[in-house]
Amino acid sequence: MPNSDSLDSDALFELGAPAAEAVGYAGLAALPLNELLAPGWAEVLAPAEGQLRDVLRFLGDEVSGGHAVLPPPSSVLRAFRQPLADVRVLIVGQDPYPTPGHAVGLSFAVDGATRPIPRSLANIYKELDADLGLPPRIHGDLGGWADQGVLLLNRVLSVRAGAAGSHRNKGWEAITAAAISALVNRTTPSGAPAPLVAILWGKDAETVRPLLGATPVIASAHPSPLSAARGFFGSRPFSRANTLLREQGDGTVDWELPPLP
């Protein structure tokens, strides 16, 4: 077991953090939950702790078996470093990009230096332009959305390099379902449901709809080039999300990303 006292938990989850890469996925499985997740997430996901450790050990076994796993250990739980209380919009994806260097732990995002950006993300930018008149970006750093409370959560949080869907049914679904249920069950100090809008892109994302209760949902086809023309284009998710947030008294998201990361 690694000595967690020797690890800087802030540095651990920075992209490319050498401490996380040194301990690997199996090493992460041995760390205290509050070093893996932000405090709010650590509390609500405690009932799924055993499942989380099992899936992290599975990733370690994948690597031991000679398979490249994405994203790297420093990023695999990145979505849960975002404060639970700050989440206002949930965007659900499928699983990470299987292209080496693309997956960064946030659904649909890539590192700001990645060129060209994935085609699904390029289609998201096209719809953003059509919806709000915001120009497409050449980079795929969606951190500006995450910083405003947009949770970019894949249904499955890891993948073998080059093999899309390869880590389905390995345990992630139960963890992300627990996370979504925790979001839905948050309340304000008055006891009212905390503001939340869910954006579901594609069939995998649609599987979480039963977990969402009365949460307003914006659903469409996936932005993949194979399906974007079958309902994603023209769905106006960004303006609709802002309308729904305003109706809940929670302002809006500024969806415009910086020209450069």
Side-chain angles (χ1 to χ4, degrees):
M1 178 182 297
N3 179 2
S4 62
D5 291 337
S6 68
L7 299 177
D8 181 337
S9 61
D10 291 330
L12 188 61
F13 293 94
E14 294 175 1
L15 292 182
E21 313 316 342
V23 301
Y25 303 102
L28 295 185
L31 292 178
L33 200 60
N34 62 4
E35 289 189 23
L36 294 172
L37 315 170
W41 286 115
E43 180 179 356
V44 299
L45 291 180
E49 180 177 355
Q51 292 163 302
L52 175 58
R53 296 193 186 284
D54 285 346
V55 74
L56 290 173
R57 284 190 286 265
F58 161 74
L59 299 187
D61 291 343
E62 286 276 87
V63 173
S64 297
H67 301 291
V69 172
L70 306 173
S74 58
S75 300
V76 69
L77 295 172
R78 184 179 175 190
F80 299 130
R81 301 301 295 175
Q82 177 179 349
L84 170 67
D86 292 353
V87 177
R88 301 188 291 149
V89 177
L90 168 68
I91 296 181
V92 182
Q94 297 179 358
D95 60 347
Y97 296 119
T99 303
H102 279 197
V104 295
L106 301 178
S107 62
F108 300 103
V110 292
D111 184 81
T114 298
R115 303 288 187 278
I117 62 172
R119 290 179 294 172
S120 292
L121 182 54
N123 285 338
I124 290 170
Y125 285 169
K126 287 179 183 178
E127 181 60 20
L128 183 61
D129 187 10
D131 186 6
L132 294 176
L134 299 178
R137 299 308 188 196
I138 62 170
H139 68 86
D141 182 351
L142 303 183
W145 294 354
D147 290 344
Q148 296 179 75
V150 178
L151 179 61
L152 299 157
L153 184 67
N154 278 316
R155 192 74 172 93
V156 172
L157 301 186
S158 65
V159 69
R160 280 187 188 177
S166 52
H167 285 177
R168 291 179 180 177
N169 302 314
K170 302 299 184 183
W172 285 124
E173 291 88 351
I175 295 159
T176 53
I180 292 167
S181 295
L183 283 174
V184 171
N185 290 328
R186 295 174 306 161
T187 58
T188 65
S190 68
L196 182 66
V197 175
I199 299 176
L200 308 181
W201 287 334
K203 292 181 179 179
D204 280 5
E206 282 273 8
T207 64
V208 310
R209 188 187 282 266
L211 304 173
L212 292 168
T215 300
V217 173
I218 300 167
S220 74
H222 193 274
S224 161
L226 299 175
S227 58
R230 298 199 295 268
F232 174 75
F233 290 137
S235 62
R236 302 177 53 245
F238 308 101
S239 61
R240 291 166 65 195
N242 277 348
T243 296
L244 291 166
L245 285 174
R246 282 194 297 266
E247 290 174 356
Q248 296 175 71
D250 198 47
T252 60
V253 172
D254 180 0
W255 295 101
E256 185 170 12
L257 293 165
L260 294 173

